[in-house]
Amino acid sequence: MTTLPVDDAAIAEAKQLRDAFQRFLREYEFGMREVETKISILRDEFTHMHAYNPIEHVKSRVKTPDSIVEKIARKGIEPDFEVIRREITDIAGVRVTCSFVSDVYRLFDLLTQQDDVTVRTVKDYIATPKLNGYRSLHAIIDVPVFLSTGPVAIPVEVQFRTIAMDFWASLEHKIHYKFAGRVPAHLVQSLTDAAEAAGELDVRMERLHREAHESNQRVLEA
């Protein structure tokens, strides 16, 4: 059995790269936490001041190293941390599921109007759904993370959806995964029809909610 010589310099370089990548991802985790805190504060403020919680649930994630490397290769991006930060904006993601469409836009405005939040891009797939029926409001925002070495602006993708939109997107993802992206045409059409039905349900439920609120106000004022 042949024993290869140990290249201490190569090992040290590999460890430095590993540590740098871990620090890079940790910054995104901190940025994600900043957004989570902002959303949590808005939820608590609504609950205590308005006796109403517009947020059903919040889900967050940071991409895995393998997923980032795959995207770097797919997009042909230079493997440099600053380039990656500029070109890949969904490393950290927060999904906010709301009760109604009006809550989506209200929370989006309240979050993005904060002084320390900078909006990079907004894609409104509620006003203009994708061809397959996907609906959601996407925003890439920069939030400051204050490290011992100074502040760093971290991009975080924030998605706002209603319960119906989230349910449809989850089902659509599972079906595409099951068929490895080659979904039969009749199922694609059924998914598109279901997306339209989900949109109609959002409209009906919000109208019902508004009518119930107005009816209750009339009772209180009587």
Side-chain angles (χ1 to χ4, degrees):
M1 180 176 179
T2 303
T3 302
L4 296 176
V6 176
D7 188 337
D8 292 336
I11 293 175
E13 184 178 355
K15 287 182 177 179
Q16 288 178 353
L17 180 59
R18 177 203 61 193
D19 293 344
F21 200 11
Q22 288 177 344
R23 287 195 299 271
F24 180 73
L25 289 181
R26 198 171 296 119
E27 291 174 0
Y28 280 89
E29 182 181 344
F30 296 155
M32 182 184 70
R33 288 187 200 171
E34 289 285 344
V35 175
E36 288 176 324
T37 298
K38 291 176 179 296
I39 295 296
S40 179
I41 289 171
L42 288 172
R43 175 169 51 194
D44 290 349
E45 193 268 344
F46 263 93
T47 301
H48 290 95
M49 298 299 294
H50 306 289
Y52 173 68
N53 177 15
I55 300 172
E56 293 293 330
H57 57 264
V58 178
K59 185 176 181 180
S60 306
R61 63 101 183 99
V62 174
K63 279 184 177 294
T64 64
D66 286 347
S67 178
I68 295 171
V69 169
E70 180 186 346
K71 195 161 189 176
I72 289 171
R74 189 169 67 250
K75 297 184 69 173
I77 295 172
E78 181 183 350
D80 174 83
F81 290 135
E82 290 306 314
V83 176
I84 294 170
R85 180 162 292 165
R86 183 176 67 248
E87 298 295 330
I88 302 181
T89 55
D90 64 345
I91 293 177
V94 177
R95 181 180 301 151
V96 183
T97 303
C98 302
S99 305
F100 306 106
V101 174
S102 59
D103 293 329
V104 164
Y105 289 108
R106 183 183 299 130
L107 284 167
F108 168 79
D109 288 340
L110 290 171
L111 176 64
T112 57
Q113 288 172 5
Q114 295 184 19
D115 291 342
D116 59 346
V117 172
T118 302
V119 179
R120 285 199 188 186
T121 61
V122 177
K123 294 181 180 179
D124 190 346
Y125 296 119
I126 297 176
T128 308
K130 291 186 177 181
L131 292 177
N132 66 349
Y134 176 84
R135 300 167 72 233
S136 185
L137 179 61
H138 293 199
I140 305 297
I141 63 174
D142 281 340
V143 293
V145 171
F146 295 92
L147 305 172
S148 59
T149 53
V152 181
I154 301 298
V156 179
E157 181 186 53
V158 187
Q159 298 179 3
F160 297 89
R161 299 175 178 174
T162 64
I163 302 169
M165 294 175 198
D166 190 56
F167 175 69
W168 182 91
S170 177
L171 176 62
E172 193 262 358
H173 176 77
K174 290 176 182 177
I175 289 177
H176 273 267
Y177 182 81
K178 185 177 183 66
F179 287 94
R182 296 183 293 273
V183 182
H186 72 282
L187 289 181
V188 172
Q189 184 58 53
S190 293
L191 279 169
T192 303
D193 294 342
E196 185 175 345
E200 292 172 355
L201 179 62
D202 271 333
V203 172
R204 292 177 62 185
M205 295 304 292
E206 182 147 9
R207 183 170 60 245
L208 177 62
H209 174 73
R210 183 172 59 252
E211 291 174 355
H213 175 73
E214 292 171 351
S215 177
N216 186 58
Q217 286 296 111
R218 286 194 295 270
V219 169
L220 293 175
E221 294 170 359

